[in-house]
Every structure is written in structure tokens, then in C-alpha cells.
Amino acid sequence: MDFNQLIRPHILKLQPYASARDEYSGKEGTFLDANENPFSSVSGENFNRYPDPYQWEIKNKLSVLKGVSPESIFLGNGSDEPIDLLIKAVCEPLQNNIVIMPPTYGMYKVCADIQQVYVQQAPLSEAFDIDLDNVFDAINSATKMIWICSPNNPSGNLVNRDAIYQILKAFPEKLVIVDEAYIDFADSLSFITELQNFENLVVLQTFSKAWGMAGLRLGVAYCNPFIIKILNKIKYPYNLNILTQQKLVEALEKVAEKNEFVEKINQLRVELASELLKISSVVKIYPSDSNMLLVKFKEAKKLFDYLLSQKVIVRDRSNVVLCEDCLRLSIGTKEENEILLNAIKSSV
Ligand SMILES: *Cc1c(COP(=O)(O)O)cnc(C)c1O
């Protein structure tokens, strides 16, 4: 892939902000370069120093866990940061477009809209799988990136792996982003293993779902080191704060705990689905490889309002393409799922 064609010319040329900590990467020394408070923090903790702008400690650990080089990793303030930065790096406003496959995660379009980048829709099939005809129809010479979400939000299912390969191969000069926010719940290999084979591939993951760290905000992009360097050039210098970095270093020692959560949640999803099937207002439960269930109800909007009145909050997707009369239910604890089931049963 010709990265010089992919990236916007002024971003290629951009002289990035050089932070104080860019000039010296050692940990030992007398640090009088960043105008920090030399004593401590008013909170009594030691937050007085700026964090590592490139988060090497986390990247080195993630590198071992994921089997990719630290130079192929970008860490962001949630996945939303790499989503935003990727579009910013690649797409000229009012000129280029991105292709998305609705119904899908809303942030791809929002980030494009904010940046005045056009959005082309290639709707998924009725079964929420990639429709290659729609994809090929939507792509044109001004297309710079193709966004795939697998497992998909809000439908919850993995999309066809073979279709992703076909897209990667058919468009070697366009960026193909596979958002794997829910991959931990799925019985499937991550596309991270394909990074060596496809220079045009970007894989997004997050610590917000299976890892249970949504409040800390940490999203990850894995891709070619050239693109990582570009993202580093245009990110805010200290995009991950010290607390998040410390907690993440600790979290990465707890893969077994993450896996236990995944097993528990997947089991609860199966149980919730089988209980929902017994309820007469449930029309259809879509197959899920994630911690959500998309469920078609007889009167979704009415049920949604009733659930709200009972302080049971689910996601109304009934206005979304292909999701008519559908609510998206996150898998809760056993108790929470029971509250949900009872509320649905009492709604008639
Ligand atoms: C939840 C979610 C994310 C994660 O977003 P964060 O900003 O990392 O919390 C990313 N993509 C999809 C499809 C999601 O559903």
C-alpha cells in the first residue's frame, strides 16, 4: 500500500508538537523541563508529572498478549479517539468518503460528519451480514476507508470472515477497519493475526466491554507502524492520563479474570435468550456473539417506554435500518436480567 497516497498531504508534512517528554525518554533525572509542580499533587498523590505520551509500558505488555510489535499499537481515550483520528488522517473534507455498513456503530458516521467527510452506506443483509454487492456499489474512487464492525453493534453477530478478506484484497489502497470491540465474547480469531498479511488493515479493540474498564477510557488500534506514527503525530500529546495508564498496566496481568467475566456473561446471555423466547411479545432474538441481544418485539416502542417507566433502561433501536421493532439488551447480572424479564412480562 502506498501510504503517501493514503494520508492527507498536509498531515504527511505536519510538524507535530514536540512535548517536553519527547526530548528525553529516560525515567531517571532531574526533570526541570515541563513546568510541573516539583513537590506532589494537592490531592496528596503523585500526579504532578506528565504521563508517558506514548504509553510504552502498556504497549510492551499488550504486545506480548496480542503478538504484535509495540510499534503497531496506538492507545486512545476510548476507541472513539482512533476512529476520529483515522478519519482525520486520511479523508479530505467535502472530497473523500468512508463506507459504512448500517445498522452499525454510530461513531463512524458522527466522526465523518463532524469532519465534513462524506458517508456512503452499504447496508448489511437481513441477517446482518456483509452484502458484498452493496459494498462494491458504495465504493468509488473517492472512498478512502471501509468500516466493518464484527461482532456488529447493534445486531451482536460476527460478520462473514470471508467477505472481510474479499474486501481487504479487492481494495489494497483503501483502509479497511475491523472494529472488534466485542471480539472477546466471540468464538473467533481476531483479525490482529492478519496484520502481517494486509497493510491496509486496521483492527480496533477496547477495554470498555469484556475487560470492564469503560470508565477509564481505553481503546486500541492495531495496524501498520507507518499509520501508527501518523496517529501519534495528530493526537493530543498526553492523551492517556496517568491513572488510566497505571490501572491498565495492572489490568493486563488479569487476563484470567477477563476470561471469567466473558464466560459468565456468555452463559447469562444464553439463559436470557431462552427465557425471552417464552414471552409472547418476543418476535425474534437475533444470534449474538457479544454481550448484547437484539430482540424484535411486537410493539418495541411501547415496551421501551414502559421499561423506562420501570427504570429498566435498554437501547431503543426501532428507528434504525433493518431493526424495526427491535430493542438492544445488554447482558446484565442474573438479578438484573430477572428484573428485565419480569418487567417485559408485566408490560402487557
Ligand atoms: C462500545 C463500542 C466501542 C468502544 O468504545 P470506547 O470508546 O472504547 O468505549 C467501539 N466500537 C463499538 C462497535 C462499540 O460498540
Side-chain angles (χ1 to χ4, degrees):
M1 153 165 253
D2 185 353
F3 293 112
N4 292 316
Q5 287 295 316
L6 177 77
I7 306 296
R8 297 164 72 189
H10 77 286
I11 301 280
L12 281 173
K13 279 189 299 200
L14 176 80
Q15 184 66 48
Y17 174 74
S19 72
R21 293 295 134 85
D22 277 333
E23 278 145 33
Y24 177 78
S25 58
K27 279 197 168 171
E28 304 300 315
T30 304
F31 288 99
L32 302 173
D33 60 345
N35 301 345
E36 297 151 332
N37 179 326
F39 298 105
S40 67
S41 313
V42 291
S43 63
E45 293 146 296
N46 289 318
F47 299 139
N48 51 320
R49 297 294 177 184
Y50 281 100
D52 174 5
Y54 301 109
Q55 310 103 10
W56 288 115
E57 196 176 359
I58 304 175
K59 286 180 186 172
N60 288 332
K61 282 186 187 278
L62 255 187
S63 159
V64 176
L65 184 66
K66 301 287 179 175
V68 295
S69 74
E71 290 76 24
S72 300
I73 303 175
F74 175 85
L75 301 178
N77 182 358
S79 308
D80 299 336
E81 185 179 2
I83 291 170
D84 189 52
L85 292 181
L86 282 163
I87 296 174
K88 207 182 259 178
V90 165
C91 294
E92 292 293 346
L94 302 173
Q95 189 177 322
N96 291 133
N97 69 70
I98 67 167
V99 168
I100 62 168
M101 301 180 198
T104 192
Y105 188 49
M107 279 306 284
Y108 318 137
K109 181 175 187 311
V110 171
C111 290
D113 285 347
I114 290 171
Q115 299 181 40
Q116 289 187 294
V117 166
Y118 298 122
V119 177
Q120 312 261 82
Q121 319 245 357
L124 295 173
S125 67
E126 294 274 334
F128 299 118
D129 212 337
I130 294 179
D131 183 321
L132 280 177
D133 287 339
N134 287 351
V135 174
F136 283 85
D137 283 349
I139 292 174
N140 60 30
S141 60
T143 303
K144 281 298 198 78
M145 26 187 22
I146 302 149
W147 290 82
I148 301 167
C149 188
S150 184
N152 186 49
N153 180 2
S155 54
N157 59 303
L158 282 165
V159 300
N160 186 319
R161 214 178 160 80
D162 190 55
I164 300 179
Y165 283 118
Q166 289 197 46
I167 293 167
L168 280 164
K169 285 179 193 156
F171 302 103
E173 299 301 322
K174 304 186 192 301
L175 219 48
V176 178
I177 300 97
V178 180
D179 185 343
E180 296 186 331
Y182 301 96
I183 193 70
D184 296 279
F185 300 102
D187 190 10
S188 170
L189 266 186
S190 164
F191 265 87
I192 284 180
T193 55
E194 296 294 345
L195 285 171
Q196 279 144 326
N197 301 326
F198 297 100
E199 283 189 317
N200 57 335
L201 171 64
V202 179
V203 178
L204 297 182
Q205 294 187 353
T206 177
F207 282 81
S208 294
K209 309 287 158 61
W211 291 82
M213 314 279 269
L216 285 183
R217 311 304 300 128
L218 192 94
V220 193
Y222 300 92
C223 61
N224 188 286
F226 187 94
I227 299 172
I228 301 286
K229 281 204 189 110
I230 296 288
L231 297 179
N232 282 336
K233 260 171 92 163
I234 63 175
K235 76 183 182 77
Y236 289 163
Y238 303 105
N239 58 327
L240 287 197
N241 67 70
I242 280 196
L243 263 181
T244 297
Q245 293 198 40
Q246 286 170 351
K247 290 294 171 190
L248 254 298
V249 167
E250 290 170 27
L252 285 168
E253 301 295 327
K254 312 221 161 169
V255 178
E257 283 80 349
K258 184 263 291 175
N259 290 339
E260 271 174 44
F261 278 134
V262 166
E263 246 179 72
K264 238 196 287 195
I265 292 167
N266 279 345
Q267 179 60 35
L268 286 163
R269 182 188 69 227
V270 173
E271 287 168 21
L272 179 63
S274 79
E275 288 305 311
L276 283 164
L277 276 178
K278 299 176 190 164
I279 302 175
S280 62
S281 62
V282 171
V283 175
K284 179 169 184 165
I285 303 172
Y286 289 90
S288 173
D289 304 286
S290 62
N291 65 335
M292 67 187 114
L293 281 176
L294 188 72
V295 183
K296 194 185 275 294
F297 290 93
K298 280 188 183 139
E299 288 179 292
K301 189 84 204 141
K302 221 172 115 191
L303 173 61
F304 176 77
D305 289 336
Y306 175 77
L307 292 176
L308 265 191
S309 76
Q310 300 302 299
K311 294 200 166 65
V312 176
I313 302 100
V314 299
R315 196 95 153 108
D316 179 9
R317 299 285 79 183
S318 59
N319 293 326
V320 172
V321 257
L322 298 174
C323 299
E324 202 184 323
D325 267 321
C326 287
L327 302 182
R328 193 195 69 188
L329 316 176
S330 301
I331 309 305
T333 62
K334 197 167 181 52
E335 295 70 31
E336 289 172 327
N337 297 342
E338 265 160 29
I339 291 171
L340 170 69
L341 285 164
N342 288 333
I344 296 173
K345 283 178 203 161
S346 66
S347 73
V348 234

Tab-separated table of all heavy atoms in Angstrom, residues 177-201:
chain	number	residue	atom	x	y	z
A	177	ILE	N	-11.112	-1.014	8.173
A	177	ILE	CA	-11.068	-1.025	9.632
A	177	ILE	C	-12.032	-2.081	10.148
A	177	ILE	O	-13.214	-2.061	9.806
A	177	ILE	CB	-11.445	0.348	10.224
A	177	ILE	CG1	-10.472	1.414	9.737
A	177	ILE	CG2	-11.423	0.303	11.752
A	177	ILE	CD1	-10.950	2.198	8.563
A	178	VAL	N	-11.530	-3.004	10.948
A	178	VAL	CA	-12.387	-4.012	11.562
A	178	VAL	C	-12.484	-3.675	13.048
A	178	VAL	O	-11.494	-3.771	13.780
A	178	VAL	CB	-11.835	-5.436	11.342
A	178	VAL	CG1	-12.756	-6.472	11.986
A	178	VAL	CG2	-11.667	-5.728	9.857
A	179	ASP	N	-13.659	-3.246	13.473
A	179	ASP	CA	-13.886	-2.864	14.868
A	179	ASP	C	-14.298	-4.105	15.654
A	179	ASP	O	-15.378	-4.654	15.459
A	179	ASP	CB	-14.978	-1.785	14.922
A	179	ASP	CG	-15.189	-1.238	16.339
A	179	ASP	OD1	-14.756	-1.889	17.321
A	179	ASP	OD2	-15.809	-0.155	16.467
A	180	GLU	N	-13.395	-4.541	16.524
A	180	GLU	CA	-13.618	-5.773	17.297
A	180	GLU	C	-13.882	-5.474	18.774
A	180	GLU	O	-13.373	-6.166	19.652
A	180	GLU	CB	-12.397	-6.694	17.173
A	180	GLU	CG	-12.151	-7.178	15.759
A	180	GLU	CD	-11.021	-8.213	15.677
A	180	GLU	OE1	-10.097	-8.169	16.523
A	180	GLU	OE2	-11.061	-9.051	14.771
A	181	ALA	N	-14.722	-4.483	19.045
A	181	ALA	CA	-14.997	-4.118	20.434
A	181	ALA	C	-15.509	-5.315	21.243
A	181	ALA	O	-15.277	-5.405	22.453
A	181	ALA	CB	-16.019	-2.980	20.481
A	182	TYR	N	-16.200	-6.244	20.565
A	182	TYR	CA	-16.833	-7.367	21.275
A	182	TYR	C	-16.157	-8.700	21.007
A	182	TYR	O	-16.712	-9.751	21.311
A	182	TYR	CB	-18.316	-7.443	20.877
A	182	TYR	CG	-19.054	-6.174	21.214
A	182	TYR	CD1	-19.236	-5.183	20.261
A	182	TYR	CD2	-19.515	-5.938	22.511
A	182	TYR	CE1	-19.865	-3.995	20.570
A	182	TYR	CE2	-20.142	-4.749	22.833
A	182	TYR	CZ	-20.322	-3.786	21.854
A	182	TYR	OH	-20.938	-2.600	22.175
A	183	ILE	N	-14.950	-8.673	20.452
A	183	ILE	CA	-14.326	-9.915	19.992
A	183	ILE	C	-14.078	-10.906	21.137
A	183	ILE	O	-14.104	-12.119	20.928
A	183	ILE	CB	-12.998	-9.611	19.231
A	183	ILE	CG1	-12.518	-10.853	18.467
A	183	ILE	CG2	-11.922	-9.096	20.158
A	183	ILE	CD1	-13.362	-11.235	17.288
A	184	ASP	N	-13.876	-10.383	22.360
A	184	ASP	CA	-13.613	-11.298	23.480
A	184	ASP	C	-14.764	-12.257	23.729
A	184	ASP	O	-14.565	-13.362	24.224
A	184	ASP	CB	-13.350	-10.507	24.768
A	184	ASP	CG	-12.104	-9.662	24.657
A	184	ASP	OD1	-11.011	-10.193	24.841
A	184	ASP	OD2	-12.239	-8.451	24.364
A	185	PHE	N	-15.979	-11.829	23.409
A	185	PHE	CA	-17.149	-12.675	23.656
A	185	PHE	C	-17.361	-13.705	22.548
A	185	PHE	O	-18.156	-14.625	22.693
A	185	PHE	CB	-18.417	-11.802	23.760
A	185	PHE	CG	-18.355	-10.801	24.868
A	185	PHE	CD1	-18.077	-9.470	24.618
A	185	PHE	CD2	-18.562	-11.198	26.192
A	185	PHE	CE1	-18.012	-8.535	25.641
A	185	PHE	CE2	-18.491	-10.273	27.228
A	185	PHE	CZ	-18.218	-8.941	26.947
A	186	ALA	N	-16.686	-13.506	21.428
A	186	ALA	CA	-16.945	-14.335	20.248
A	186	ALA	C	-15.984	-15.511	20.178
A	186	ALA	O	-14.844	-15.439	20.629
A	186	ALA	CB	-16.806	-13.484	18.992
A	187	ASP	N	-16.473	-16.573	19.595
A	187	ASP	CA	-15.659	-17.756	19.400
A	187	ASP	C	-14.994	-17.634	18.030
A	187	ASP	O	-15.362	-18.328	17.086
A	187	ASP	CB	-16.586	-18.991	19.462
A	187	ASP	CG	-15.766	-20.268	19.508
A	187	ASP	OD1	-14.535	-20.167	19.685
A	187	ASP	OD2	-16.357	-21.346	19.349
A	188	SER	N	-14.050	-16.721	17.933
A	188	SER	CA	-13.457	-16.437	16.628
A	188	SER	C	-12.091	-15.802	16.811
A	188	SER	O	-11.848	-15.095	17.791
A	188	SER	CB	-14.366	-15.472	15.858
A	188	SER	OG	-13.730	-14.993	14.712
A	189	LEU	N	-11.216	-16.036	15.864
A	189	LEU	CA	-9.901	-15.398	15.882
A	189	LEU	C	-10.031	-13.915	15.581
A	189	LEU	O	-10.825	-13.518	14.738
A	189	LEU	CB	-9.026	-16.005	14.796
A	189	LEU	CG	-8.093	-17.155	15.145
A	189	LEU	CD1	-7.222	-17.473	13.936
A	189	LEU	CD2	-7.221	-16.783	16.335
A	190	SER	N	-9.207	-13.113	16.251
A	190	SER	CA	-9.153	-11.694	15.933
A	190	SER	C	-8.449	-11.498	14.591
A	190	SER	O	-7.570	-12.278	14.209
A	190	SER	CB	-8.369	-10.965	17.016
A	190	SER	OG	-7.999	-9.685	16.565
A	191	PHE	N	-8.819	-10.435	13.888
A	191	PHE	CA	-8.112	-10.097	12.652
A	191	PHE	C	-6.711	-9.557	12.915
A	191	PHE	O	-5.946	-9.328	11.978
A	191	PHE	CB	-8.940	-9.123	11.793
A	191	PHE	CG	-9.760	-9.839	10.760
A	191	PHE	CD1	-11.019	-10.321	11.066
A	191	PHE	CD2	-9.254	-10.078	9.485
A	191	PHE	CE1	-11.766	-11.019	10.125
A	191	PHE	CE2	-9.988	-10.767	8.534
A	191	PHE	CZ	-11.249	-11.242	8.857
A	192	ILE	N	-6.362	-9.372	14.185
A	192	ILE	CA	-4.988	-8.968	14.506
A	192	ILE	C	-3.987	-9.930	13.874
A	192	ILE	O	-2.922	-9.516	13.424
A	192	ILE	CB	-4.802	-8.929	16.049
A	192	ILE	CG1	-5.463	-7.688	16.619
A	192	ILE	CG2	-3.332	-8.934	16.417
A	192	ILE	CD1	-5.330	-7.567	18.123
A	193	THR	N	-4.353	-11.194	13.803
A	193	THR	CA	-3.439	-12.187	13.240
A	193	THR	C	-3.196	-11.958	11.744
A	193	THR	O	-2.296	-12.562	11.171
A	193	THR	CB	-3.993	-13.613	13.428
A	193	THR	OG1	-5.308	-13.657	12.850
A	193	THR	CG2	-4.073	-13.977	14.894
A	194	GLU	N	-3.989	-11.115	11.117
A	194	GLU	CA	-3.857	-10.858	9.673
A	194	GLU	C	-3.082	-9.570	9.373
A	194	GLU	O	-2.930	-9.201	8.211
A	194	GLU	CB	-5.241	-10.770	9.017
A	194	GLU	CG	-6.030	-12.054	9.068
A	194	GLU	CD	-5.391	-13.162	8.227
A	194	GLU	OE1	-4.508	-12.852	7.395
A	194	GLU	OE2	-5.776	-14.329	8.416
A	195	LEU	N	-2.630	-8.876	10.430
A	195	LEU	CA	-1.962	-7.590	10.194
A	195	LEU	C	-0.732	-7.743	9.305
A	195	LEU	O	-0.448	-6.875	8.482
A	195	LEU	CB	-1.578	-6.935	11.524
A	195	LEU	CG	-2.739	-6.314	12.309
A	195	LEU	CD1	-2.283	-5.882	13.698
A	195	LEU	CD2	-3.328	-5.126	11.550
A	196	GLN	N	-0.037	-8.867	9.459
A	196	GLN	CA	1.163	-9.064	8.634
A	196	GLN	C	0.813	-9.259	7.163
A	196	GLN	O	1.622	-8.993	6.290
A	196	GLN	CB	1.939	-10.303	9.111
A	196	GLN	CG	2.796	-10.019	10.310
A	196	GLN	CD	2.816	-11.202	11.246
A	196	GLN	OE1	1.826	-11.916	11.377
A	196	GLN	NE2	3.948	-11.422	11.890
A	197	ASN	N	-0.387	-9.756	6.913
A	197	ASN	CA	-0.759	-10.069	5.526
A	197	ASN	C	-1.418	-8.902	4.802
A	197	ASN	O	-1.500	-8.918	3.572
A	197	ASN	CB	-1.707	-11.267	5.499
A	197	ASN	CG	-1.076	-12.494	6.138
A	197	ASN	OD1	0.146	-12.682	6.019
A	197	ASN	ND2	-1.858	-13.290	6.835
A	198	PHE	N	-1.936	-7.931	5.552
A	198	PHE	CA	-2.662	-6.827	4.910
A	198	PHE	C	-2.217	-5.483	5.477
A	198	PHE	O	-2.560	-5.129	6.610
A	198	PHE	CB	-4.176	-6.992	5.108
A	198	PHE	CG	-4.738	-8.240	4.474
A	198	PHE	CD1	-4.988	-9.373	5.238
A	198	PHE	CD2	-4.995	-8.283	3.109
A	198	PHE	CE1	-5.489	-10.539	4.656
A	198	PHE	CE2	-5.495	-9.433	2.522
A	198	PHE	CZ	-5.742	-10.566	3.294
A	199	GLU	N	-1.475	-4.747	4.675
A	199	GLU	CA	-1.019	-3.420	5.119
A	199	GLU	C	-2.174	-2.438	5.240
A	199	GLU	O	-2.052	-1.402	5.880
A	199	GLU	CB	-0.020	-2.856	4.102
A	199	GLU	CG	1.359	-3.458	4.196
A	199	GLU	CD	2.337	-2.702	3.319
A	199	GLU	OE1	1.968	-2.363	2.176
A	199	GLU	OE2	3.459	-2.436	3.791
A	200	ASN	N	-3.308	-2.749	4.576
A	200	ASN	CA	-4.455	-1.826	4.596
A	200	ASN	C	-5.430	-2.129	5.732
A	200	ASN	O	-6.508	-1.552	5.793
A	200	ASN	CB	-5.194	-1.872	3.249
A	200	ASN	CG	-5.669	-3.277	2.876
A	200	ASN	OD1	-5.096	-4.263	3.328
A	200	ASN	ND2	-6.688	-3.363	2.052
A	201	LEU	N	-5.045	-3.035	6.638
A	201	LEU	CA	-5.945	-3.447	7.723
A	201	LEU	C	-5.667	-2.672	9.016
A	201	LEU	O	-4.512	-2.501	9.416
A	201	LEU	CB	-5.769	-4.953	7.980
A	201	LEU	CG	-6.464	-5.552	9.213
A	201	LEU	CD1	-7.988	-5.459	9.101
A	201	LEU	CD2	-6.047	-7.011	9.399
